Amino acid sequence: MGKGEELTTTKYLIHAQITANGIVEKPDVVGAVFGQTEGLLSNDLDLRELQRTGRIGRIQVNIHSNSGRAKGDIVIPSSLDRVETAILAASLETINRVGPCEAEIQTLKVEDVRAVKREQVVNRAKEIYKNMVESVGPASMKMIEEVREAMRVHEISEYGDDRLPAGPSIHTSDAIIVVEGRSDVLNLLKYGIKNTVAVEGVSVPQSIGELSKKRTTTAFVDGDRGGELILKELLQIGDVDYITRAPQGKEVEDLEKDEVLIALRDKVPTAQFLANHNILSESKNNSNNNRRDKNQNRKQQKFNKEPEVEDDEVILMKDMLKEFEGTGCGAILDEALNMTKEVSIENIYEEMKNIEGTADTVIFDGIISQRLVDVASQKGINKLVAFKANIVKKPHNLKIITIE
């Protein structure tokens, strides 16, 4: 759009090109446009009347001469409707003479000014939103995380007669994580892991041993000699299904969120852990005997139709989902389960379509549809988490987690 054009009510711009077999000037071109279209169309489309009433703007002509020939561009602003503008644009091609010279005018295009403006609005809106996310988003997310962290610290509960520090889900969860002390429980609670219980010392309480025989149990101990001693004691009196440890020389209470998630993800069955580590054989034999008894009990209860045991990742995802219940919102998370973007349910499909970079999980207060499953698979998302799912086909590379 040229500078100085009358675009207050302009809807379209007619772009045309003129060539003349001689030297002509701008007034010659304007005169030919008015003169040779006069009477060609109905009175409603007479150019002089249209310009007088402001329905077309001032005709812009940019022309130059070279080697005895003239060539240039014509731009006519129009506030007519689409059909009338197209008729007017076509009428320009009937002009065959400008001044004393033969000439030809070809309409190149009709530009929708409103579409150009809409594109400018969209591009500017993207810039504004990007600035908002960069300047406001992190601060808001930090405040949200601080509040959530404070709330989780207050959620710590107790288990058994020994009043052992535990997460709030220890009484209801099918799977538990056994850690060393209260600080470990608080650290995992800070990251949304609520099915923990602490042994509080090298001497493992009998209540932990009994609990481990009823639940799917993961031992999560420090990466030092103390952690090894507690693990040995736990294997002697309890039944541990999985074992994982903090990195060498680190304690569970000092781990960052991504370190905790990696450790839990990399847990191994107890038999495999014992085969690869130098733990006393008596612990190994005792653990194997306990596991044999536990498996026998499970076989006896085969027809009780108990719910399938959930792993730690599923439990964590469900706990996170409860924080979105009733909000009408969701979040896009990275591999470490950090929130990269908060989204509304109404826009979740478009947000998933526009994901760029790495996104591991999408969690939201709603129902997983087949359309969301398809776009998640296309974008390489690993997990969809919501309250319900209504799908026909699930890709093999996508994990769906629901409350039901």
Side-chain angles (χ1 to χ4, degrees):
M1 291 182 289
K3 188 176 180 180
E5 292 170 357
E6 299 173 4
L7 300 179
T8 305
T9 59
T10 298
K11 297 178 182 177
Y12 303 98
L13 290 177
I14 301 171
H15 294 268
Q17 186 180 73
I18 179 172
T19 54
N21 294 327
I23 299 175
V24 296
E25 301 294 337
K26 174 180 175 180
D28 299 325
V29 177
V30 174
V33 170
F34 280 109
Q36 294 188 42
T37 58
E38 186 175 6
L40 179 65
L41 305 174
S42 65
N43 292 334
D44 293 337
L45 293 179
D46 180 75
L47 284 180
R48 285 190 172 85
E49 182 62 22
L50 291 174
Q51 193 172 65
R52 188 184 68 81
T53 57
R55 299 179 68 191
I56 67 167
R58 187 174 54 199
I59 298 176
Q60 305 289 323
V61 178
N62 181 21
I63 195 163
H64 55 274
S65 301
N66 186 23
S67 302
R69 292 175 59 86
K71 188 175 183 179
D73 300 316
I74 303 172
V75 178
I76 303 177
S78 168
S79 60
L80 303 171
D81 63 27
R82 187 178 303 177
V83 174
E84 292 172 330
T85 301
I87 294 172
L88 185 61
S91 71
L92 297 178
E93 297 187 349
T94 64
I95 299 171
N96 55 18
R97 182 172 292 275
V98 175
C101 307
E102 291 184 354
E104 180 183 5
I105 294 179
Q106 181 182 7
T107 299
L108 301 178
K109 65 177 180 177
V110 177
E111 179 184 3
D112 189 336
V113 175
R114 294 166 300 177
V116 174
K117 289 181 178 179
R118 280 193 291 268
E119 184 177 355
Q120 291 173 346
V121 169
V122 170
N123 291 335
R124 181 57 181 152
K126 289 179 180 178
E127 293 178 8
I128 293 172
Y129 180 73
K130 182 179 179 182
N131 292 335
M132 289 172 61
V133 170
E134 291 176 352
S135 60
V136 180
S140 299
M141 290 180 186
K142 185 177 180 181
M143 287 189 293
I144 292 170
E145 286 302 320
E146 287 177 356
V147 173
R148 285 177 178 169
E149 179 177 338
M151 292 301 296
R152 285 166 182 162
V153 168
H154 290 296
E155 287 179 354
I156 192 167
S157 62
E158 297 176 342
Y159 177 78
D161 296 335
D162 301 305
R163 304 185 68 177
L164 301 173
S169 300
I170 192 65
H171 300 284
T172 57
S173 178
D174 292 326
I176 63 169
I177 301 173
V178 179
V179 294
E180 295 186 26
R182 178 185 178 86
S183 298
D184 300 339
V185 174
L186 283 172
N187 193 39
L188 297 186
L189 192 57
K190 182 171 66 176
Y191 303 135
I193 302 171
K194 302 180 180 182
N195 58 329
T196 54
V197 61
V199 297
E200 286 284 82
V202 178
S203 179
V204 178
Q206 191 63 36
S207 59
I208 295 294
E210 294 300 322
L211 181 63
S212 69
K213 296 174 183 178
K214 302 174 184 176
R215 313 282 181 87
T216 301
T217 303
T218 299
F220 190 5
V221 295
D222 296 342
D224 55 17
R225 177 62 178 166
E228 187 173 305
L229 292 174
I230 290 175
L231 182 58
K232 173 185 172 183
E233 176 79 9
L234 185 59
L235 289 172
Q236 288 177 345
I237 72 164
D239 184 3
V240 179
D241 297 276
Y242 299 96
I243 297 174
T244 188
R245 301 186 70 178
Q248 187 66 34
K250 284 193 171 185
E251 298 182 353
V252 175
E253 64 183 270
D254 298 325
L255 298 183
E256 298 294 332
K257 184 177 183 179
D258 56 341
E259 294 176 307
V260 169
L261 296 175
I262 289 172
L264 291 175
R265 185 187 64 194
D266 294 342
K267 66 184 179 182
V268 296
T270 300
Q272 180 181 336
F273 182 90
L274 294 176
N276 296 329
H277 294 78
N278 187 24
I279 303 293
L280 293 179
S281 58
E282 60 191 45
S283 298
K284 180 176 179 179
N285 292 335
N286 191 39
S287 177
N288 287 338
N289 290 335
N290 287 338
R291 183 163 289 97
R292 197 178 300 115
D293 294 340
K294 189 174 183 178
N295 289 337
Q296 184 65 32
N297 290 336
R298 285 176 177 168
K299 288 179 181 178
Q300 293 174 356
Q301 299 170 359
K302 180 178 179 181
F303 299 103
N304 290 346
K305 296 184 179 180
E306 293 182 353
E308 184 179 347
V309 172
E310 299 176 334
D311 60 25
D312 299 326
E313 182 184 51
V314 172
I315 293 170
L316 174 59
M317 291 290 99
K318 288 187 175 182
D319 285 340
M320 293 181 66
L321 177 60
K322 290 176 183 177
E323 297 178 5
F324 290 94
E325 186 173 4
T327 64
C329 296
I332 298 172
L333 312 176
D334 61 18
E335 189 172 352
L337 299 186
N338 294 312
M339 184 190 300
T340 60
K341 190 171 187 181
E342 190 166 357
V343 298
S344 66
I345 299 305
E346 293 81 3
N347 302 325
I348 194 163
Y349 177 74
E350 292 299 326
E351 294 287 358
M352 290 173 64
K353 273 181 59 178
N354 296 329
I355 285 177
E356 296 179 359
T358 57
D360 181 80
T361 303
V362 176
I363 181 169
F364 62 96
D365 176 28
I367 300 175
I368 299 172
S369 66
Q370 188 64 49
R371 189 168 72 147
L372 294 179
V373 167
D374 294 340
V375 73
S377 178
Q378 293 171 7
K379 289 294 183 177
I381 295 169
N382 295 320
K383 292 183 284 292
L384 283 180
V385 186
F387 285 89
K388 294 181 181 179
N390 184 14
I391 62 173
V392 177
K393 181 176 65 175
K394 184 180 84 67
H396 69 278
N397 62 337
L398 180 66
K399 187 171 185 178
I400 294 177
I401 300 173
T402 63
I403 291 293
E404 294 186 343

